[in-house]
Amino acid sequence: MAIRKHLIGLILLAYAVTLPASQDSDFIGARKAFQDGNGKLLDDYARRLQHHALWPYVEYFQLRMVLRTTDIAAIRNFLSRHEGNLVADRLRGDWLRILGKNQQWMLFEAEYPFLVNRDNELTCYSYQQRLSAKDKEVLTEARSLWFTPNSMPDSCTPVFIALISGGKISREDIWTRIRLALEEGQTGVATHINRHIPSHEALNSTDLNNAAKNPLRFLDTHKIKTRSDREIALFALLRLLRNDTDQAYAQWSKIKGQLTASDRSYFLARLGHRAAMRHDPRAPGWFREAQNTDKPYPPSDTVLAWQVRAALRIADWDMILKTIDRMSATEQQIDTWRYWKARALKVKGNIPGANGIFIPLSDEHSFYGQLAKEELGSILSIADKTYRVSHNEVSAMERRPGVQRALAFSRMNLRTEAYREWIWTIRDFSDAELLAAAEVARRHGMYDRAINTANRTVSQHDFNLRFLSPHREALQKILRQHQLDEAWVYGLIRQESRFIADIKSHAGAAGLMQLMPATAEWVAKQLGIQNFRQNIVVDVNTNLRLGTYYLKHVLGTLDNQPLLASAAYNAGPGRAKRWRDNTRPLEGAIYAETIPFNETRDYVKKVLKNSMYYARVLDHGHDSPTLKERLGVVAAK
């Protein structure tokens, strides 16, 4: 009898283990049936999934397939039962698109206020609904959508037509958007917007195509007479400027007399922008010339940011202060510009003004927050306000339906769906709830979610969750061979992959340390790995072994400076070398801020900031380097 009970217990245990796996397989099948439009097969799967954590999504799949023809009661029943969940917001958004397209404005008006995730298409449908209701405020609100270089959804077209006919978008506003589009190379968008210009004034499509194909020939052969000619000439100059500053400047010198003062200011600012990105010493002069005209063209925040960076390379603190003050109020509040404004004030002897910026900035857990702290003579401390979640908090969090859905998606390797469900679930969490959720994610191997969730806390923190250190035993063995700084390597891996072992980038980089195939193959040869295959790069130990070898190699070729090696790891050693100054040494923070690639600039700052926190979390002692010491001074070429 006892043996029989034991066998029954084993059978039940085996059934309990295999049931989630089989149901996960059924959900994958249901999802595929939905994507293929196979309603009958979807219904077959649905009958087996009613107790699965993702049952609401199966219901969504079924209803979504008949959304255009189903009755309103069925839709509202679903929304009511799942109110507050992501799946309800998704269905509401889908329904609103149908309502907007069919101009069913009464229903649209009733449902739209409850939608959380909004986009430009739905926003424009909302504006259409309000226009139909004679809402006078809508034209003023909708105007901001116009000023973009990008294509906008079809639902925005009636709104824009109403703005133009109502005088809220002027002829100059239309030309402004055409210029924005051409500046980004969006000739299709420019041509589309061109329809709102009278035909006798509009862009000449043949000239535009010729300028796009061969800007140098166009500028050499075309006479500038009209507004259309000027805009296309500026477009051609910008095309040249993308590849060659000198060639663009030479052509500019030939035609500048045919342009207006505002046009000249516009191009000079962009000439300065491109030159600053190339660390060309002429950039500051071109920026100044752009403003010293009768009608200076209003510079964008991006242009002004590069004017500041050009000024940093030559330590022109007056220009730094003046340029930051010209930025938009929103841009000036970014930690980057608050820090450099405070540094400029300090250099100019305004210590109270500088400290008035440094003190609040030093409380922020960012690259510039840490540098501000060091300017005030403080060292990084992470012991204050540490919050440790209890076992009961974690258990309760794990039982939340939204968390269970995110875990189920993650278990099936549906990362995008897991990410969306997770972000929705934690969106209004308190600090304690965020940390409990982060701990759940850590325990389930969702290291990226654990880190990003712990990063959201405002006043109560757990830096052991913000700066996780998985695979430490394996990594330490490898690091001892190369004598690499553990905190720096962890800071780099955290930025590269968030510790997702099998992740691959669009460019093909793989694994914890995001090795490109050619790099992995080269390192494997150096290490004498026989029969190397790219599929082993995602193995944790292999990836760490290859990645740390390459990192040590890069570090040795770049003056043993982690700053330069971090830049090289992301953008290549050749670029990291080229970004040094020709004649003078550069403060490390200035080198980092003037990296021309947005991705690499952000990457380097985060890696070095991460290393500071890892030094504390991994208990490397208080004698570890400061951030300024880690950044160092970058020697001239």
Side-chain angles (χ1 to χ4, degrees):
M1 188 71 174
I3 294 174
R4 184 180 176 187
K5 286 183 177 179
H6 180 67
L7 287 172
I8 292 172
L10 289 175
I11 291 169
L12 290 173
L13 179 62
Y15 177 75
V17 170
T18 56
L19 183 61
S22 65
Q23 287 220 318
D24 285 354
S25 177
D26 284 342
F27 180 81
I28 294 292
R31 180 174 175 268
K32 179 71 164 54
F34 166 66
Q35 291 170 339
D36 293 343
N38 190 334
K40 183 178 182 303
L41 183 58
L42 174 59
D43 291 341
D44 290 341
Y45 279 117
R47 282 188 281 273
R48 303 197 292 269
L49 286 166
Q50 293 182 24
H51 300 292
H52 194 276
L54 296 177
W55 168 247
Y57 280 88
V58 180
E59 280 193 285
Y60 166 79
F61 295 155
Q62 291 178 303
L63 189 53
R64 183 65 184 84
M65 290 189 70
V66 295
L67 192 58
R68 293 182 183 278
T69 56
T70 196
D71 60 279
I72 295 171
I75 297 171
R76 285 197 162 142
N77 176 267
F78 178 91
L79 293 175
S80 175
R81 286 186 294 109
H82 297 292
E83 193 61 56
N85 294 333
L86 175 61
V87 71
D89 201 63
R90 282 185 61 179
L91 187 80
R92 180 172 278 119
D94 295 334
W95 188 30
L96 284 166
R97 288 179 217 285
I98 294 170
L99 295 176
K101 191 169 185 179
N102 294 335
Q103 297 190 358
Q104 294 174 266
W105 297 131
M106 287 184 65
L107 281 171
F108 187 98
E109 183 182 14
E111 289 298 327
Y112 186 73
F114 299 105
L115 185 70
V116 176
N117 289 325
R118 300 176 179 184
D119 57 23
N120 283 334
E121 182 183 17
L122 287 170
T123 298
C124 282
Y125 276 135
S126 174
Y127 286 147
Q128 283 192 49
Q129 177 267 312
R130 290 170 61 188
L131 283 170
S132 72
K134 311 298 182 186
D135 184 340
K136 296 180 180 179
E137 301 295 325
V138 67
L139 292 180
T140 302
E141 291 180 33
R143 179 177 151 81
S144 62
L145 284 179
W146 175 258
F147 297 97
T148 174
N150 302 315
S151 177
M152 293 293 281
D154 290 342
S155 60
C156 296
T157 300
V159 180
F160 291 152
I161 290 173
L163 285 168
I164 293 168
S165 62
K168 293 294 183 179
I169 290 178
S170 66
R171 184 76 51 80
E172 191 59 36
D173 292 332
I174 297 171
W175 279 116
T176 296
R177 188 172 175 204
I178 288 173
R179 183 175 287 189
L180 286 171
L182 292 178
E183 188 176 316
E184 295 298 320
Q186 300 276 7
T187 54
V189 175
T191 301
H192 180 77
I193 301 305
N194 194 44
R195 297 180 306 170
H196 298 296
I197 301 287
S199 57
H200 66 280
E201 297 178 22
L203 292 176
N204 183 298
S205 58
T206 301
D207 288 344
L208 183 60
N209 289 333
N210 289 338
K213 291 176 183 176
N214 193 327
L216 186 60
R217 180 187 298 168
F218 174 83
L219 290 167
D220 277 338
T221 59
H222 197 81
K223 296 295 183 183
I224 300 173
K225 298 177 181 177
T226 66
R227 175 66 180 266
S228 171
D229 294 334
R230 298 202 320 268
E231 295 297 339
I232 297 174
L234 288 168
F235 166 67
L237 286 170
L238 294 181
R239 299 282 281 192
L240 291 177
L241 189 54
R242 285 164 53 185
N243 300 313
D244 191 326
T245 306
D246 290 332
Q247 189 178 56
Y249 184 67
Q251 289 299 314
W252 147 258
S253 298
K254 293 178 184 177
I255 68 167
K256 62 182 180 181
Q258 302 173 57
L259 302 174
T260 67
S262 179
D263 292 341
R264 291 195 294 271
S265 173
Y266 168 82
F267 178 72
L268 283 165
R270 274 130 195 91
L271 182 63
H273 175 193
R274 281 290 175 178
M277 290 180 69
R278 292 168 181 149
H279 302 146
D280 188 323
R282 294 172 293 180
W286 284 328
F287 281 125
R288 279 190 288 266
E289 192 178 349
Q291 290 304 302
N292 293 334
T293 62
D294 295 336
K295 293 184 178 179
Y297 192 85
S300 66
D301 282 332
T302 300
V303 168
L304 292 171
W306 275 104
Q307 185 169 357
V308 174
R309 293 184 182 115
L312 284 171
R313 301 279 293 199
I314 59 173
D316 187 338
W317 298 102
D318 286 326
M319 180 184 281
I320 290 166
L321 283 172
K322 291 175 183 176
T323 307
I324 291 173
D325 285 343
R326 289 169 58 209
M327 292 176 173
S328 68
T330 301
E331 186 75 8
Q332 287 188 47
Q333 290 307 306
I334 293 175
D335 60 350
T336 305
W337 311 127
R338 283 186 285 148
Y339 174 79
W340 288 114
K341 181 174 183 176
R343 281 285 305 275
L345 290 171
K346 186 175 181 179
V347 170
K348 302 297 289 181
N350 186 350
I351 305 302
N355 288 344
I357 298 173
F358 283 139
I359 290 170
L361 181 56
S362 69
D363 287 332
E364 298 179 17
H365 302 291
S366 65
F367 177 81
Y368 282 116
Q370 174 58 26
L371 284 177
K373 188 182 291 289
E374 292 179 8
E375 287 290 335
L376 296 168
S378 302
I379 60 172
L380 177 66
S381 173
I382 62 172
D384 296 341
K385 302 177 184 176
T386 296
Y387 184 90
R388 296 281 189 262
V389 293
S390 68
H391 172 75
N392 289 340
E393 286 176 295
V394 176
S395 296
M397 181 58 64
E398 203 164 25
R399 291 193 297 271
R400 291 203 183 195
V403 170
Q404 289 186 349
R405 287 191 290 269
L407 293 175
F409 277 131
S410 179
R411 186 172 66 236
M412 289 180 268
N413 207 31
L414 298 174
R415 283 189 179 133
T416 299
E417 289 89 339
Y419 168 80
R420 289 171 179 164
E421 186 68 46
W422 186 270
I423 290 298
W424 175 273
T425 300
I426 69 168
R427 70 192 190 283
D428 295 322
F429 276 9
S430 66
D431 283 355
E433 289 171 319
L434 287 169
L435 293 176
E439 177 59 18
V440 169
R442 185 196 69 80
R443 293 183 183 185
H444 287 268
M446 296 168 62
Y447 297 130
D448 59 329
R449 294 298 94 220
I451 291 169
N452 292 355
T453 302
N455 272 349
R456 286 172 168 250
T457 58
V458 177
S459 59
Q460 295 177 309
H461 312 297
D462 184 345
F463 285 90
N464 288 290
L465 285 171
R466 284 196 182 198
F467 297 92
L468 293 176
S469 52
H471 318 298
R472 192 176 184 191
E473 185 176 349
L475 182 59
Q476 283 184 324
K477 289 179 182 177
I478 297 169
L479 292 180
R480 281 194 287 270
Q481 300 171 18
H482 299 304
Q483 295 184 314
L484 285 170
D485 174 21
E486 183 186 27
W488 175 48
V489 176
Y490 260 118
L492 184 140
I493 297 173
R494 182 184 188 270
Q495 195 58 31
E496 285 287 352
S497 66
R498 286 293 198 265
F499 305 103
I500 302 175
D502 60 348
I503 195 169
K504 288 189 177 181
S505 74
H506 294 300
L512 291 176
M513 297 190 71
Q514 288 291 278
L515 290 161
M516 292 295 289
T519 302
E521 187 173 352
W522 178 82
V523 175
K525 287 181 181 178
Q526 306 307 307
L527 293 173
I529 297 176
Q530 301 296 318
N531 301 316
F532 173 76
R533 296 290 183 272
Q534 289 293 339
N535 61 348
I536 69 170
V537 174
V538 295
D539 172 74
V540 169
N541 287 322
T542 302
N543 195 274
L544 292 175
R545 187 182 173 199
L546 298 175
T548 52
Y549 180 94
Y550 179 66
L551 188 60
K552 177 67 174 181
H553 165 74
V554 168
L555 183 66
T557 62
L558 289 164
D559 305 334
N560 286 311
Q561 286 189 278
L563 168 61
L564 294 177
S566 299
Y569 197 88
N570 182 266
R575 291 191 179 103
K577 292 175 182 177
R578 285 201 302 274
W579 294 335
R580 296 178 297 184
D581 194 85
N582 286 327
T583 59
R584 70 178 79 189
L586 281 178
E587 177 188 336
I590 292 176
Y591 174 93
E593 186 53 51
T594 57
I595 290 172
F597 296 172
N598 293 340
E599 177 193 328
T600 306
R601 184 169 61 255
D602 181 65
Y603 171 90
V604 165
K605 290 190 285 190
K606 285 180 177 174
V607 167
L608 272 295
K609 181 265 293 183
N610 291 348
S611 69
M612 291 297 299
Y613 285 93
Y614 272 113
R616 298 294 181 265
V617 168
L618 302 174
D619 196 23
H620 285 189
H622 287 288
D623 58 345
S624 61
T626 65
L627 182 52
K628 280 197 172 186
E629 288 169 343
R630 289 178 184 275
L631 290 165
V633 175
V634 178
K637 292 178 186 177

